[in-house]
Amino acid sequence: MEQDEKPSKETLQQWHDDPSNWKLKIFYFNKKDKRIFPPKKIQAFGWTVNFANPLSILALLGLIILIIVIQKFFFKN
């Protein structure tokens, strides 16, 4: 597969089903998978972070910062 080629649904499913891509069975870590938020181990529960993708870490940190900022401005005590 070329670097710019999008992986097939079958490849994505193989990566998702491969136990070696799940650290401690809950953290998804796959350098080949360029998705920022792939489905969780049980796909009906939403998405998780691909910890092998640096953009995922930045997106997660941005989301945490956004939650903190919203909490500070809208839930003042």
Side-chain angles (χ1 to χ4, degrees), residues 68-77:
I68 291 169
V69 168
I70 289 173
Q71 181 183 18
K72 295 284 184 191
F73 283 112
F74 293 107
F75 299 103
K76 294 179 184 178
N77 288 338

Side-chain angles (χ1 to χ4, degrees), residues 20-56:
S20 68
N21 290 331
W22 293 92
K23 308 302 178 196
L24 302 174
K25 297 185 180 184
I26 57 170
F27 299 109
Y28 187 73
F29 192 92
N30 183 354
K31 291 182 181 182
K32 295 178 191 174
D33 191 348
K34 300 302 178 195
R35 295 178 294 177
I36 295 174
F37 298 110
K40 286 190 175 193
K41 187 88 168 147
I42 301 173
Q43 295 182 13
F45 290 149
W47 297 273
T48 189
V49 176
N50 180 3
F51 287 94
N53 185 335
L55 291 177
S56 298

Side-chain angles (χ1 to χ4, degrees), residues 54-68:
L55 291 177
S56 298
I57 305 300
L58 291 175
L60 183 61
L61 289 174
L63 183 60
I64 291 170
I65 290 169
L66 180 64
I67 290 169
I68 291 169

